[in-house]
């Protein structure tokens, strides 16, 4: 079956040769036409070939049904999407409600582990009644009353959505209320009758990245065309976006002008409608507000009055001084240690909650400010060697909700109080027999001598080299922490669980580019230094071989989105080292990425291919351009979504076509809905997990 993909695309290959002969640089640019008939016909043919081949696995149906049962299991943790006064809101998805029901429960009942849910919006029923394939994108309810909400719904799961005003008391959309037309828009409540809005106001209102650049104040009862402009970014900016925070009785409204993906100006909208720029460094990130202070995280050292505040530190600025136009210096709230990285920050009424990583293990701290201006911190008593996710905080009760899990430990939801005492709210039952497995953290040494941590999961008693799957990301400050195997790797459902249960090894690699050790772990591989993240991945694979865990011919790699750049580069650089490659919603054509959908917003991460100096280093790893005829590459499994309006599906399509042209096998699965997250519901997620498992068995341990 070596040429199964070629059978579906033989005409494509011949057409490609003819086009190249005519001197066209990119013979597959027609595959960038997202909904083009020719392109979709090719996609459907590739999908069909892959489905037919992997259907030969006798366990495919059982993988899929088991994955679906896990994803649809009503023994899920009902995470607090938002806490609204004395209510907790949650979006619940199961077999009966694949698109979800948005519901609320009294906070006290929820915290006691006995929520009393009341359905507010049934997304599936709404889509059916309105004949739209609605996908939930969230709701923002105006504090402190929380009766009026801005509900965001996406047709088919794209990043673009429609915003509609909803009344929580009546459970209905407001007749004549605010409605923002479909676009990649953002809106924030200023007050009950005013929105601060950024959206598509016409062709000149968008940045080169496709996001809004003009912020307007829109008054209730007036047409959108009458909204008044308060801030304009430039065409070369990434985006402009509004947001608001409630601090006691005061509502603070802000605007972020994203100049690059990693730099921005944050401004305050004053009560009299003026826009005042805050003193945040352009690479700092806004985190929250507490007691009239703006909380931010530094990405670079900041020297103030002869004192240098370290990168990765949390600092505070007085908002009253900012609003009044007075000079204000930051005060240090918390500085990370050498092994720490501060990841998440959220405020309740009197406590600033900080989630940090310490050698990639999650920690949660409660911080208070004393009358003399000093901040004190106390670690909470959550389980060690775990992943911690800080979800939401309840203001007046000074409670933080966090989920704690490990690769072999199912998630548990905790409510952590001001005393630092955690109380279990809900624990999930085990989905597999963890007693048969082991997990350990190990370290590889990269080409430049940097220690690269990775987590290794295997069955107990396994000896000798076994097939191994390495998942990694390596970009955008996104740390990869060890979650329960039913959700590893990301967007592949219980693939990791299936893989280890059958005697194989699963690895989560913490390569540079993420945020595992703070800002420098990310900055060290930006732009011309990207090769270091690829070297880190190679080092982990080689460490598996060196330690006898695996062997050449038995190693597969997985990455999605930015991870697509990673596995694509690894594929072209070391086809001798890897024998299977999972490439999800990937970036592959780095020559054209900045011209496709949201690509221009990532120039700060990768570089600008239209600048000769940048393309000089990008061209050395760009997967699409680095494919060479005459080289035998491992058979890649591409998965993506036609509706992805963030990373263009043309990346995967063109990479597949080029591999096909050069006589290499590949697998392909493009879902017609779902957006960048691929699956719009659990059915597709379960199907993808089963296909990927069958693929890995064929390429790493099964019959070729």
């Amino acid at each position: 079956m070596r040429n199964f993909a070629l059978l579906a695309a033989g005409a494509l290959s011949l057409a490609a040769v003819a086009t190249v002969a005519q001197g066209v640089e990119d013979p597959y640019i027609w595959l960038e036409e997202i909904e083009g008939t020719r392109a979709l016909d090719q996609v459907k043919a590739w999908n069909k070939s892959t489905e037919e081949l992997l259907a030969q696995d006798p366990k495919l149906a059982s993988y899929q049904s088991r994955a679906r049962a896990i994803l649809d299991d009503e023994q899920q943790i009902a995470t607090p999407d938002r806490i609204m006064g004395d209510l907790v809101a949650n979006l619940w998805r199961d077999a009966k409600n694949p698109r979800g029901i948005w519901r609320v429960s009294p906070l006290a009942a929820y915290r006691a582990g006995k929520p009393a849910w009341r359905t507010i919006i049934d997304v599936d029923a709404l889509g059916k009644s309105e004949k739209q394939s609605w996908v939930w994108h969230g709701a923002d309810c105006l504090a402190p009353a929380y009766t009026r909400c801005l509900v965001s719904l996406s047709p088919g799961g794209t990043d673009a959505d429609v915003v509609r005003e909803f009344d929580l008391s009546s459970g209905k959309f407001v007749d004549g209320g605010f409605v923002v037309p479909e676009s990649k828009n953002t809106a924030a409540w200023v007050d009950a009758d005013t929105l601060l809005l950024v959206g598509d106001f016409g062709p000149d209102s968008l940045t080169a990245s496709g996001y809004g650049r003009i912020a307007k104040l829109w008054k209730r009862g007036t047409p959108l065309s009458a909204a008044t402009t308060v801030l304009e970014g430039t065409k070369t900016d990434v985006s402009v976006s509004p947001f608001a925070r409630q601090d006691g009785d005061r509502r603070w409204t802000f605007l972020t002008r994203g100049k690059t993906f990693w730099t921005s100006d944050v401004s305050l909208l004053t009560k009299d409608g003026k826009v005042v720029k805050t003193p945040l460094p352009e690479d700092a990130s806004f985190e929250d507000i507490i007691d009239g202070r703006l909380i931010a995280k530094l990405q670079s050292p900041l020297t103030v009055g002869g004192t240098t505040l370290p990168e990765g530190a949390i600092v505070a600025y007085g908002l009253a001084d900012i609003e009044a136009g007075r000079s204000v210096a930051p005060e240090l709230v918390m500085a990370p240690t050498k092994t720490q990285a501060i990841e998440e920050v959220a405020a309740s009424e009197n406590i600033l909650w900080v989630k940090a990583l310490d050698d990639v293990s999650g920690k949660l701290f409660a911080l208070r400010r004393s009358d003399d201006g000093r901040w004190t911190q106390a670690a909470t008593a959550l389980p060690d060697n775990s992943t911690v996710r800080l979800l939401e905080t309840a203001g007046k009760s000074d409670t933080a909700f966090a989920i704690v899990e490990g690769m072999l430990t199912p998630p548990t939801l905790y409510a952590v109080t001001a005393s630092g005492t955690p109380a279990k709210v809900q624990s999930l039952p085990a989905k597999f027999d963890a007693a048969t497995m082991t997990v350990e953290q190990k370290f590889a040494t990269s080409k430049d001598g940097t220690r690269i941590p990775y987590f290794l999961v295997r069955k107990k008693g396994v000896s000798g080299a076994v097939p191994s799957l390495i998942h990694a990301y390596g970009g955008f400050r996104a740390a990869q922490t060890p979650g329960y195997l039913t959700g590893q790797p990301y967007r592949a459902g219980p693939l990791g669980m299936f893989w280890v249960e059958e005697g194989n090894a699963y690895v989560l690699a913490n390569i540079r580019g993420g945020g595992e050790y703070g800002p420098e772990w990310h900055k060290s591989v930006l732009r011309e230094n990207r090769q270091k993240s690829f070297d880190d991945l190679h080092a982990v694979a080689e460490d598996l071989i060196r330690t006898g865990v695996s062997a050449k011919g038995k190693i597969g790699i997985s990455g999605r989105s930015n991870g697509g750049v990673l596995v694509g580069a690894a594929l072209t650089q070391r086809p001798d080292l890897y024998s299977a490659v999972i490439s999800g919603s990937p970036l592959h054509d780095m020559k054209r990425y900045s011209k496709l959908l949201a690509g221009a917003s990532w120039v700060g991460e990768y570089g600008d291919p239209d600048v000769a100096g940048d393309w000089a280093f990008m061209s050395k790893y760009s997967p699409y351009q680095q494919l060479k005829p005459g080289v035998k590459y491992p058979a890649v499994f591409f998965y993506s979504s036609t509706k992805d309006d963030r990373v263009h599906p043309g990346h995967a399509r063109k990479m597949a076509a080029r591999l096909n042209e050069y006589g290499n096998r590949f697998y392909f699965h493009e879902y017609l809905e779902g957006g960048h997250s691929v699956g719009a519901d659990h059915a597709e997620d379960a199907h993808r997990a089963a296909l990927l498992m069958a693929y890995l068995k064929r390429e790493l341990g099964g019959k070729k």
Side-chain angles (χ1 to χ4, degrees):
M1 296 296 294
R2 180 183 181 279
N3 293 321
F4 83 92
L6 295 178
L7 294 176
L12 182 154
S13 201
L14 294 174
V17 173
T19 312
V20 171
Q22 295 170 13
V24 177
E25 182 180 356
D26 187 352
Y28 301 117
I29 201 164
W30 56 274
L31 286 167
E32 293 180 7
E33 189 176 349
I34 296 175
E35 303 278 0
T37 301
R38 184 186 177 197
L40 285 182
D41 285 347
Q42 182 63 78
V43 164
K44 291 172 184 176
W46 285 337
N47 283 352
K48 185 173 183 290
S49 294
T50 294
E51 296 269 2
E52 290 176 349
L53 180 66
L54 295 180
Q56 297 174 24
D57 189 313
K59 296 182 69 175
L60 184 73
S62 65
Y63 292 138
Q64 183 166 333
S65 62
R66 190 177 175 200
R68 182 69 184 271
I70 289 171
L71 294 169
D72 283 343
D73 189 351
E74 293 195 8
Q75 295 185 94
Q76 305 172 41
I77 289 181
T79 54
D81 300 328
R82 287 187 181 273
I83 296 178
M84 307 181 298
D86 61 355
L87 292 177
V88 174
N90 162 260
L91 181 74
W92 181 261
R93 294 169 64 194
D94 57 23
K96 295 179 181 178
N97 306 277
R99 297 298 172 95
I101 54 174
W102 188 50
R103 57 190 189 169
V104 296
S105 165
L107 175 59
Y110 178 84
R111 182 173 167 176
K114 299 178 180 180
W117 296 113
R118 173 169 61 94
T119 296
I120 304 299
I121 297 177
D122 183 327
V123 182
D124 297 271
L126 179 67
K128 184 177 181 180
S129 67
E130 297 184 346
K131 295 181 173 55
Q132 282 278 6
S133 182
W134 289 129
V135 175
W136 182 259
H137 270 195
D140 177 19
C141 300
L142 178 62
Y146 298 105
T147 55
R148 288 296 177 95
C149 307
L150 298 176
V151 170
S152 298
L153 296 164
S154 166
T158 65
D159 282 359
D161 53 30
V162 175
V163 178
R164 297 157 67 181
E165 186 178 4
F166 187 86
D167 184 80
L168 200 63
S169 300
S170 66
K172 296 179 180 179
F173 288 102
V174 177
D175 288 337
F178 289 113
V179 177
V180 184
E182 181 184 343
S183 70
K184 291 183 179 180
N185 58 65
T186 49
W189 291 106
V190 176
D191 55 45
D193 295 313
T194 313
L195 296 187
L196 184 57
L197 172 67
V198 176
D200 187 349
F201 302 121
D204 194 45
S205 66
L206 303 179
T207 67
S209 300
Y211 297 98
R213 67 175 187 85
I214 300 174
K216 296 189 176 189
L217 281 174
W218 185 16
K219 293 288 186 179
R220 184 180 299 279
T222 65
L224 180 56
S225 59
T228 58
T229 298
V230 294
L231 180 72
E232 285 196 39
T234 68
K235 292 285 288 185
T236 57
D237 287 342
V238 172
S239 65
V240 171
S241 57
F243 63 97
R245 293 289 187 275
Q246 192 77 19
D247 182 33
D249 295 331
R250 176 69 193 269
R251 186 168 186 81
W252 299 92
T253 310
F254 299 88
L255 281 161
T256 297
R257 177 191 161 208
K259 297 188 289 187
T260 71
F261 199 89
W262 298 117
T263 61
S264 61
D265 291 335
V266 178
S267 298
L268 171 67
L269 183 69
T270 66
K271 288 183 176 180
D272 57 4
K274 295 180 180 178
V275 176
V276 178
K277 185 179 175 183
T278 70
L280 266 66
E282 65 175 12
D283 65 344
S285 58
F286 177 101
E287 297 294 336
D288 212 329
I289 290 174
I290 184 170
D291 194 25
R293 289 172 178 81
L294 185 160
I295 305 298
K297 181 167 69 175
L298 301 179
Q299 297 298 329
S300 300
L302 178 62
T303 301
V304 180
T307 300
T308 298
L309 305 175
E311 68 176 26
I314 301 296
V315 297
Y317 295 86
L319 278 166
D321 289 330
I322 294 174
E323 186 174 37
R326 295 188 292 266
S327 176
V328 56
E331 58 186 47
L332 179 64
V333 177
M334 178 179 176
T337 67
K338 290 183 179 180
T339 59
Q340 286 181 343
I342 294 174
E343 277 206 312
E344 299 166 341
V345 179
S348 54
E349 188 159 306
N350 302 293
I351 295 178
L352 189 68
W353 301 92
V354 176
K355 177 275 184 90
L357 296 178
D358 199 331
D359 265 337
V360 203
S361 179
K363 308 289 182 183
L364 182 64
F365 299 91
L367 280 70
R368 290 178 180 268
R369 189 177 188 274
S370 59
D371 292 339
D372 62 4
R374 291 183 299 172
W375 291 82
T376 59
Q377 60 178 268
T380 61
L382 292 173
D384 292 329
N385 302 316
S386 301
T387 287
V388 176
R389 284 184 289 142
L390 178 58
L391 301 176
E392 280 288 329
T393 61
K396 292 183 179 179
S397 64
D398 279 324
T399 302
F401 290 93
I403 284 185
V404 180
E405 63 183 300
M407 283 184 146
L408 305 183
T409 308
T412 295
L413 175 65
Y414 288 90
V416 187
T417 61
S419 66
T421 303
K424 288 185 180 180
V425 176
Q426 183 185 0
S427 294
L428 290 186
K431 303 295 185 183
F432 57 89
D433 187 1
T436 66
M437 303 177 187
T438 63
V439 60
E440 55 186 319
Q441 186 183 37
K442 304 183 76 172
F443 291 84
T445 302
S446 194
K447 186 176 181 180
D448 64 359
T450 303
R451 291 174 78 241
I452 307 301
Y454 66 91
F455 293 88
L456 169 64
V457 189
R458 290 180 288 181
K459 290 194 76 172
K460 292 179 179 177
V462 171
S463 61
V466 299
S468 300
L469 174 64
I470 307 169
H471 182 72
Y473 184 74
F476 292 92
R477 297 180 191 157
Q480 302 298 291
T481 56
Y484 197 47
L485 274 187
T486 54
Q488 293 279 346
Y490 180 62
R491 299 311 305 173
L495 174 62
M497 181 192 74
F498 293 153
W499 187 240
V500 176
E501 282 182 334
E502 297 197 7
N504 308 299
Y506 175 70
V507 173
L508 182 67
N510 302 114
I511 67 175
R512 282 173 288 184
E516 286 86 345
Y517 290 100
E520 185 56 31
W521 198 250
H522 168 246
K523 290 189 289 187
S524 64
V525 300
L526 287 176
R527 293 170 49 83
E528 66 271 18
N529 294 314
R530 206 75 189 177
Q531 182 61 42
K532 292 180 182 179
S533 67
F534 313 147
D535 291 340
D536 292 353
L537 180 63
H538 303 330
V540 172
E542 288 167 340
D543 200 60
L544 295 177
I545 296 170
R546 182 186 63 81
T547 57
V549 172
S550 198
K552 280 191 176 182
K554 295 178 179 286
I555 296 178
I557 51 177
S558 163
R560 70 175 300 276
S561 193
N562 167 78
V565 180
L566 171 71
V567 298
L571 161 80
T572 59
Q573 292 178 7
R574 295 296 305 275
D576 63 309
L577 185 56
Y578 308 110
S579 299
V581 178
I582 297 173
S583 180
S585 304
L587 281 159
H588 282 317
D589 183 356
M590 302 307 289
K591 181 64 175 176
R592 284 187 50 76
Y593 88 95
S594 58
K595 297 178 175 63
L596 302 175
L597 298 178
S601 63
W602 311 318
V603 166
E605 181 85 7
Y606 303 118
D608 186 345
D610 292 332
V611 174
D614 287 7
W615 180 240
F617 59 76
M618 296 173 69
S619 64
K620 293 178 181 178
Y621 71 79
S622 180
Y624 185 56
Q625 282 74 25
Q626 281 297 317
L627 288 174
K628 300 292 191 296
V631 178
K632 182 181 179 182
Y633 296 104
V636 185
F637 191 120
F638 299 98
Y639 70 84
S640 59
S641 166
T642 307
K643 295 293 187 183
D644 190 341
D645 57 349
R646 190 180 312 174
V647 176
H648 198 291
H651 285 279
R653 295 173 180 179
K654 296 199 301 179
M655 192 77 169
R658 180 56 53 81
L659 283 167
N660 181 69
E661 177 188 347
Y662 293 161
N664 286 276
R665 297 180 301 120
F666 65 93
Y667 301 70
F668 197 91
H669 184 66
E670 183 177 309
Y671 186 53
L672 297 180
E673 288 192 316
H676 189 53
S677 294
V678 187
D681 52 41
H682 289 165
E684 168 58 20
D685 291 339
H687 185 51
R688 183 170 58 257
L691 290 175
L692 291 173
M693 182 61 184
Y695 157 75
L696 289 176
K697 287 165 61 180
R698 286 186 62 86
E699 297 303 322
L700 296 182
K703 181 181 177 182
K704 299 289 182 73

